[in-house]
Amino acid sequence: MKKGLIIGIIIGVLFLLLITILIVLIFILPGMIEKKKIENIKHLYFTYTSGYAIYSYTTYELNCTDKCILTVKPLGVAEEEKQEVEIPKEKVKELESKLNEYNVSRWNGFNKNDKYVLDGDSFSFNIDYNDSDKVSAHGYMMWPNNYSDVKSYIVNTFNEYIKEK
């Protein structure tokens, strides 16, 4: 009887220890991992689909060297009609701040899709910043945390620079 009780206590303690380790790994450790701050954007590419008709995708591409040039291919517009405009460095700094606020650096490696949806929407997001840091994220009917907020911000910010045709 004593031997069974001792084994039960040991198993119980090991079970509690395992649960504690899982809680730390799942909830506490990710918050402690240092996220990389997005600054000094060199290149940003963001595209997403919005339907199934011809030209039903939108693309934003930002290239920064001496100056920052934004290229936009709006929804419903042919690739040949995309627009190019210079963006002030202050606006790019605001973008960097917003991307950091939404923890976009944690998107790196996101590559998920819903295999049960055959006619859904997708996105692709790539950014090169600092000297060698990158974020690459892709999805089909699945999105990383804060995706809709980031998408709304980028669309609203960059569309300010598009001329209506």
Side-chain angles (χ1 to χ4, degrees):
M1 183 76 153
K2 282 187 171 185
K3 194 174 189 180
L5 181 62
I6 291 173
I7 291 174
I9 290 173
I10 291 173
I11 290 173
V13 168
L14 289 174
F15 181 73
L16 288 174
L17 184 61
L18 179 64
I19 295 296
T20 303
I21 290 171
L22 286 174
I23 289 172
V24 167
L25 289 175
I26 293 171
F27 296 108
I28 298 172
L29 192 58
M32 295 172 59
I33 295 173
E34 181 182 345
K35 58 184 176 184
K36 293 194 176 211
K37 187 173 183 182
I38 295 173
E39 51 192 6
N40 302 316
I41 290 176
K42 308 288 186 241
H43 179 255
L44 180 143
Y45 177 83
F46 176 54
T47 188
Y48 62 91
T49 60
S50 299
Y52 319 104
I54 191 167
Y55 310 126
S56 62
Y57 63 96
T58 303
T59 301
Y60 301 96
E61 187 166 10
L62 179 66
N63 288 296
C64 295
T65 51
D66 296 332
K67 52 187 173 178
C68 292
I69 304 298
L70 172 68
T71 305
V72 179
K73 201 288 306 162
L75 177 68
V77 174
E79 191 73 30
E80 301 79 36
E81 296 179 43
K82 59 188 173 186
Q83 298 178 32
E84 203 172 88
V85 63
E86 184 176 349
I87 299 235
K89 292 272 188 176
E90 299 80 42
K91 193 54 100 170
V92 176
K93 292 294 176 199
E94 288 176 26
L95 172 66
E96 292 169 348
S97 176
K98 198 55 96 165
L99 294 176
N100 287 314
E101 178 183 328
Y102 290 129
N103 299 313
V104 170
S105 65
R106 291 194 180 185
W107 288 11
N108 194 34
F110 184 93
N111 189 12
K112 296 184 179 182
N113 65 70
D114 187 338
K115 63 183 179 182
Y116 299 108
V117 179
L118 301 176
D119 57 356
D121 292 331
S122 63
F123 84 97
S124 185
F125 181 90
N126 295 291
I127 185 169
D128 298 319
Y129 60 101
N130 292 333
D131 288 328
S132 61
D133 294 320
K134 298 177 184 293
V135 173
S136 180
H138 313 277
Y140 174 76
M141 293 306 292
M142 297 184 87
W143 297 272
N145 292 340
N146 301 316
Y147 171 79
S148 60
D149 293 325
V150 172
K151 177 184 172 186
S152 293
Y153 179 79
I154 289 174
V155 168
N156 291 332
T157 300
F158 287 165
N159 283 353
E160 292 176 15
Y161 296 94
I162 297 176
K163 296 176 192 155
E164 294 284 328
K165 289 195 175 193

